[in-house]
Amino acid sequence: MRSRQPKQLLLAFFGEHVVDAATGPIRASALISVLEPAGVAAPATRATLDRLVGSGILARTRNGRETLFSLTEHGAAVLREATDRVRGPRPFDPQGNGWTLVTFSIPEGQRMLRHRLRSTLTWEGFAPIRDGLWLAPGEVDLAGSLEPLRQDLPPHTVMAFHARELDGFPIGESVRAAWDIEAIRREHLAFIEVWDDPAAVALAPSALTVRTMLVADWLALLRADPRLPAEFMDEQWPATRSAETYRRMHEKLAEASAAEFAELVAARTSVRRRNGRAGPPSAPSPTPSAATRPR
């Protein structure tokens, strides 16, 4: 598996526990306490939070000496866009038949927008095949995928087509040039090696941290696997095992991690009350929260 970067872990935390729950802002110290057992030092977490604020994913507020972070509308939209695949029953199946082609043109001065667009395309299974032409298997809902970027993309920046393979022009060579299929297999096997072990629940002293690590690794795997059609795989392709492993470990961690998250938010509320200010509602009970909602 890739090393877990602070950004991956923070997005996993907010996507798993915050985006669908009325928890209010989260203390920086609480976020640090979740990431430290995953091997992320406090300065790295603070620096990453600053970058997420700068990119418009998070908003920062202060309450006395406390710094708190919450998702912006843009940040929530970005995380919700990934929800269907993260929680879906068949996350590695192509979306329909054929292929989706995309080409775009963004001026050199808008590098951040270009990066965001490329990141979105990669998440949706696209890979560049030549000179600004990107390819993805199936019928990608590009309009939905690009909705969080809609206000920033100038008109006619992106052109997209749905296509099928023509007789005499096999697409297999282009597919193998765009994606390293054996590297994708290794990503699956690495995920299974870590998370199929019952001892994985003890990777950190906190179930909340372990679940955040699990979701971060799952997001990395979903990003690595573009959902290629079955004809490009063999009978031993491990995607089904990966999905079963994720769901089994996710369920195993659900109750304890949801309880820890509720305590984390309740602690913020009690501190605000001691400071003489009424806090927002405490975390919802674990039963209806995003942390335990079936995937």
Side-chain angles (χ1 to χ4, degrees):
M1 293 300 297
R2 296 177 175 85
S3 61
R4 301 180 187 98
Q5 300 300 316
K7 180 179 178 180
Q8 293 173 320
L9 290 161
L10 285 169
L11 292 178
F13 177 87
F14 277 93
E16 179 77 355
H17 298 286
V18 178
V19 69
D20 289 330
T23 60
I26 306 294
R27 291 174 293 128
S29 58
L31 295 168
I32 290 169
S33 73
V34 173
L35 267 62
E36 275 187 330
V40 180
T45 298
R46 291 192 183 96
T48 305
L49 288 167
D50 288 342
R51 286 193 289 272
L52 289 172
V53 170
S55 65
I57 299 293
L58 297 180
R60 177 171 39 218
T61 56
R62 294 194 65 84
N63 177 37
R65 298 178 63 182
E66 285 188 341
T67 304
L68 303 100
F69 294 89
S70 56
L71 285 167
T72 63
E73 289 186 11
H74 167 67
V78 168
L79 294 180
R80 287 195 180 103
E81 190 278 322
T83 296
D84 286 346
R85 190 177 182 198
V86 169
R87 302 179 182 178
R90 305 181 68 86
F92 300 110
D93 286 1
Q95 305 174 84
N97 300 312
W99 302 86
T100 302
L101 294 168
V102 165
T103 183
F104 60 88
S105 177
I106 294 179
E108 181 68 20
Q110 295 180 287
R111 292 185 180 181
M112 179 60 72
L113 179 59
R114 183 188 301 173
H115 171 76
R116 290 168 61 197
L117 176 57
R118 287 175 171 172
S119 180
T120 298
L121 292 177
T122 300
W123 170 258
E124 292 296 340
F126 284 89
I129 53 175
R130 64 174 62 182
D131 298 335
L133 184 64
W134 291 56
L135 177 71
E139 303 171 52
V140 177
D141 177 16
L142 201 61
S145 302
L146 297 182
E147 184 59 34
L149 299 177
R150 187 67 61 189
Q151 292 182 343
D152 298 322
L153 285 172
H156 314 301
T157 298
V158 178
M159 296 181 65
F161 312 87
H162 181 242
R164 62 179 177 84
E165 183 179 6
L166 293 177
D167 291 340
F169 296 89
I171 199 171
E173 184 175 344
S174 295
V175 168
R176 284 182 281 273
W179 294 282
D180 184 339
I181 294 175
E182 287 308 306
I184 299 169
R185 185 197 303 274
R186 290 192 295 271
E187 294 279 357
H188 279 282
L189 294 177
F191 180 88
I192 293 167
E193 182 180 5
V194 173
W195 294 106
D196 197 36
D197 184 352
V201 296
L203 285 174
S206 159
L208 181 58
T209 296
V210 177
R211 188 167 173 178
T212 301
M213 295 162 65
L214 170 67
V215 175
D217 286 358
W218 182 240
L219 288 168
L221 181 59
L222 293 176
R223 188 177 181 86
D225 188 315
R227 295 180 277 189
L228 293 170
E231 59 261 31
F232 295 99
M233 313 306 175
D234 55 39
E235 293 182 358
Q236 288 74 43
W237 190 250
T240 299
R241 288 173 56 204
S242 295
E244 291 171 350
T245 297
Y246 172 74
R247 294 189 187 104
R248 184 167 55 250
M249 185 57 68
H250 191 272
E251 182 177 356
K252 186 176 295 187
L253 293 163
E255 184 175 355
S257 62
E260 288 183 19
F261 178 72
E263 290 178 6
L264 178 147
V265 177
R268 171 184 55 79
T269 303
S270 65
V271 168
R272 287 171 63 91
R273 286 174 178 162
R274 284 199 303 270
N275 289 340
R277 295 178 58 186
S282 59
S285 64
T287 302
S289 74
T292 54
R293 190 171 299 133
R295 294 185 173 229

